[in-house]
Amino acid sequence: MKRISLFILLGIFTSACDVIEEPYITVNNDDGQVSFEILDEDFEIENVVQKVLLEEFTGHQCPNCPEGAITAYNLHNLYGDKFITIAYHAGFFARTSNEFPTDYRTSEGNALNTEFGVSSYPAGVISRTEVNSNLVLGNSLWPQATGNIIDNTPKLGIEIIHAHEADNLSVTIRLQAFYETEPLRVCVFITEDKLISPQITPEGVVDDYEHNHVFRTSLLNETWGMPIFTEGANPGLKMSFRINRSIDASWNTANLNIVCFAYDEITSEVLQAEEVAL
């Protein structure tokens, strides 16, 4: 997948948005055409609560990974939409075979799996924060890690506005700082629910297993997101941008979600996340 170079934007993300000729960036790649523009608009994000992001690493040939999915399900039941999951299928257990032909692997998921040094599954990263000096956690520690931060006062608000017609998707992202922050990066990902394909479990292979929160793509074609607030942010600083792109016709739009999260460029901690169903 071809990556969009956004380094030329570094100098213009530090203040109120300037008007940019539309589209600002257009790239043709394997997934179709992507356009990106910074918006000049006034907005206020209200009623913001802290949300927690689980980045789950899993695979359909991992017999213990359904236990991780159950843990994520239980945390979502406990915290509602304050708990957001992205499931990356990566590593040895995500390989395909005659019995497991569906390939959920992606270049972004593979890159994150390598960067975080995931070596056993199921594994997860909770808002990219550490527990006992460990970033990558087994699912038994996900509740503790979530509880450590779920009641934090949010430093950042994120709002997602979207529209789609057929396979054409338009996503507007709004960000507003409520406290001082270091420079940030923002990611905009697509996940898909209710994907039915085989999964190995401790009891054997379940042919009609339902895979949820499956990472599909980065709307920016960028694993690590793009820089925002490159000089850091003071309370009240805002920016917004719009992405227009085509989405894979094989994905079921009724089951797609847009996940946006922003993280500290220095510590990698996820300050805030947001999710909306397509």
Side-chain angles (χ1 to χ4, degrees), residues 207-222:
D207 290 327
D208 58 351
Y209 185 88
E210 182 176 293
H211 300 268
N212 290 303
H213 317 293
V214 176
F215 174 86
R216 283 307 202 179
T217 193
S218 166
L219 287 183
L220 291 168
N221 288 350
E222 172 58 62

Side-chain angles (χ1 to χ4, degrees), residues 14-16 43-45 153-157 175-182 184 229 231-239 271:
T14 57
S15 60
F43 59 88
E44 197 73 29
I45 302 178
T153 300
K155 295 182 178 180
L156 187 75
L175 303 109
Q176 180 176 349
F178 300 118
Y179 289 84
E180 290 186 4
T181 75
E182 299 293 340
L184 305 178
F229 304 150
E231 300 299 323
N234 292 317
L237 190 60
K238 305 171 187 177
M239 74 158 295
L271 270 63

Side-chain angles (χ1 to χ4, degrees), residues 110-264:
N110 291 337
L112 289 163
N113 190 78
T114 298
E115 177 68 21
F116 292 148
V118 180
S119 59
S120 62
Y121 303 80
V125 177
I126 301 292
S127 289
R128 301 186 182 179
T129 60
E130 294 184 350
V131 173
N132 299 326
S133 300
N134 294 312
L135 181 65
V136 179
L137 307 172
N139 63 291
S140 64
L141 289 175
W142 298 351
Q144 176 187 341
T146 301
N148 288 345
I149 59 178
I150 194 73
D151 292 325
N152 286 357
T153 300
K155 295 182 178 180
L156 187 75
I158 298 175
E159 188 174 40
I160 304 172
I161 302 168
H162 66 91
H164 80 279
E165 183 177 353
D167 62 348
N168 296 310
L169 177 63
S170 175
V171 178
T172 296
I173 302 295
R174 293 171 172 174
L175 303 109
Q176 180 176 349
F178 300 118
Y179 289 84
E180 290 186 4
T181 75
E182 299 293 340
L184 305 178
R185 298 185 75 89
V186 63
C187 297
V188 188
F189 290 170
I190 292 287
T191 65
E192 186 170 0
D193 295 327
K194 300 181 180 179
L195 291 164
I196 306 301
S197 65
Q199 170 73 49
I200 192 169
T201 74
E203 291 74 37
V205 176
V206 176
D207 290 327
D208 58 351
Y209 185 88
E210 182 176 293
H211 300 268
N212 290 303
H213 317 293
V214 176
F215 174 86
R216 283 307 202 179
T217 193
S218 166
L219 287 183
L220 291 168
N221 288 350
E222 172 58 62
T223 303
W224 306 106
M226 71 176 193
I228 61 169
F229 304 150
T230 58
E231 300 299 323
N234 292 317
L237 190 60
K238 305 171 187 177
M239 74 158 295
S240 60
F241 59 89
R242 180 181 295 127
I243 309 163
N244 297 290
R245 67 166 291 171
S246 57
I247 55 177
D248 194 310
S250 69
W251 301 343
N252 186 342
T253 55
N255 298 329
L256 295 183
N257 309 289
I258 304 165
V259 179
C260 177
F261 62 95
Y263 66 95
D264 188 305

